[in-house]
Amino acid sequence: MALTTTPARRPGPAPERGPADAAAAVRAASTGRVGGKVFAGLSTGAGVLILVTLAAVAVFLLVEAWPALTASSEELGEISWFDGGSVAEYVGPLVFGTLLAALLALLLAVPVSVGIALFISHYAPRRLAQSLGYLIDLLAAIPSVVYGLWGALWLLGVVDPFFTWLSSTLGFVPLFADYQAPAKNILSASIVLAVMILPIITAVSREVFLQTPRLHEEASLALGATRWEMVRQAVLPFGRSGVISASMLGLGRALGETMAVLMVISPGFLYSFHLLQPGQQQTIAANIASKFPEASGLSVSALIATGLALFVITFVVNFAARWVIARRAEFSGAN
């Protein structure tokens, strides 16, 4: 049986491009360059606008707070609710209360959020994971006033027996000496804040965990690792920077939350236990919200000065978070 072969075809000459094709190519290249320049301009303008807005907010707060920052103790003493010889003495307890409530909320929310995110991404069946993910996302849509009502009307009654026992058992500690100790209101506000920031941290952490390279997980399982060992060896190291970013987002929400904290730690808002000592059981945002409607003149400047302190705290926290994430990225790249 004879084999026949067909000669290979030689490529013919490329079709000649006419003037119309050349003009179309020039127009396409020109349109691409124009579109790139427009997009670059819009992106640069958006970035500059953010910086200008941030600088404008800082300048506004500084200018409006300047009368209180430069006022004498006698002038500040004329404000009925002002407690302290200077603005720094008044802002100090508020800063402490703000940081304490936010950090306690972060301490409560991060482990629970990471656990929920891991369960949704690597343990739960697909249908249950989708339903649970939707439910967690819906928690972020609940207004802060609803959280405040829940904390004031239900949560305080739940933690009340615990603090009664704490006061009778550890009454020799000044923090727990009084039945209405400052720790009660601060801890209750921290629990409410933890529930509020939980969906933010969970959603971001879940998406980061789902981005873990599949090959890393399969390699860990192929070496005989259990599912938890695989999560610990492959998923958690990959998502560490994402968890830090999610935690900083939650911390920013906790630092700036107003109504929920005001309704929980200010008894006069919904209920009456006793009169709070100004600045000792408040956060900056709740203090501004409670006193601003009746403020005028120098008292407005004093409240804006506390807002300036909150602005500085938020800026420092976000800057520190970006620095930590950048260091993590450099370390991972070096390894």
Side-chain angles (χ1 to χ4, degrees):
M1 182 175 182
L3 297 176
T4 59
T5 58
T6 58
R9 290 186 178 181
R10 295 182 180 179
E16 297 183 359
R17 301 179 63 182
D21 295 334
V26 171
R27 285 195 300 270
S30 176
T31 303
R33 287 195 295 269
V34 172
K37 291 180 180 180
V38 171
F39 180 77
L42 291 176
S43 302
T44 304
V48 172
L49 180 61
I50 292 174
L51 295 177
V52 171
T53 303
L54 187 65
V57 171
V59 170
F60 168 79
L61 291 174
L62 185 60
V63 169
E64 294 295 327
W66 190 254
L69 295 175
T70 57
S72 62
S73 57
E74 290 79 10
E75 293 174 336
L76 293 173
E78 295 178 359
I79 303 175
S80 59
W81 45 261
F82 191 83
D83 183 23
S86 64
V87 174
E89 295 178 2
Y90 177 72
V91 174
L94 293 174
V95 171
F96 175 77
T98 301
L99 293 177
L100 180 61
L103 292 177
L104 287 176
L106 202 65
L107 185 65
L108 295 173
V110 170
V112 178
S113 300
V114 172
I116 295 174
L118 286 175
F119 177 75
I120 294 175
S121 60
H122 288 82
Y123 285 91
R126 182 177 299 273
R127 291 185 179 180
L128 178 60
Q130 291 180 350
S131 302
L132 188 58
Y134 294 149
L135 181 62
I136 295 297
D137 293 338
L138 285 176
L139 289 177
I142 299 177
S144 58
V145 176
V146 176
Y147 283 111
L149 287 171
W150 169 73
L153 299 179
W154 183 82
L155 181 62
L156 285 177
V158 172
V159 301
D160 188 76
F162 170 72
F163 277 98
T164 304
W165 171 83
L166 200 63
S167 178
S168 60
T169 306
L170 300 177
F172 57 91
V173 179
L175 186 63
F176 308 116
D178 186 10
Y179 171 72
Q180 299 295 344
K184 176 182 179 179
N185 289 334
I186 288 294
L187 183 59
S188 302
S190 300
I191 296 174
V192 174
L193 289 175
V195 176
M196 295 181 68
I197 66 178
L198 187 143
I200 300 174
I201 302 176
T202 301
V204 177
S205 300
R206 178 190 64 203
E207 296 302 322
V208 172
F209 293 153
L210 288 174
Q211 297 301 320
T212 305
R214 186 68 178 174
L215 290 177
H216 294 184
E217 299 179 1
E218 292 177 352
S220 180
L221 293 174
L223 292 174
T226 63
R227 181 173 296 185
W228 162 242
E229 290 173 339
M230 179 271 293
V231 168
R232 183 168 53 86
Q233 296 171 359
V235 179
L236 291 179
F238 178 82
R240 186 180 294 116
S241 60
V243 173
I244 294 174
S245 301
S247 301
M248 292 304 103
L249 286 175
L251 181 60
R253 172 73 185 276
L255 287 172
E257 182 53 43
T258 303
M259 286 307 301
V261 178
L262 177 64
M263 297 167 71
V264 172
I265 69 178
S266 293
F269 194 83
L270 286 177
Y271 47 89
S272 178
F273 283 150
H274 73 305
L275 295 178
L276 291 175
Q277 297 180 2
Q280 293 189 5
Q281 299 181 17
Q282 288 274 21
T283 63
I284 294 177
N287 181 70
I288 294 174
S290 62
K291 293 183 172 59
F292 196 83
E294 300 178 357
S296 62
L298 190 61
S299 58
V300 174
S301 298
L303 292 177
I304 294 179
T306 62
L308 178 62
L310 181 59
F311 177 84
V312 172
I313 292 172
T314 306
F315 182 82
V316 170
V317 167
N318 284 276
F319 182 81
R322 296 301 305 172
W323 179 80
V324 170
I325 295 172
R327 288 296 299 272
R328 290 285 184 181
E330 293 177 2
F331 181 77
S332 300
N335 291 339

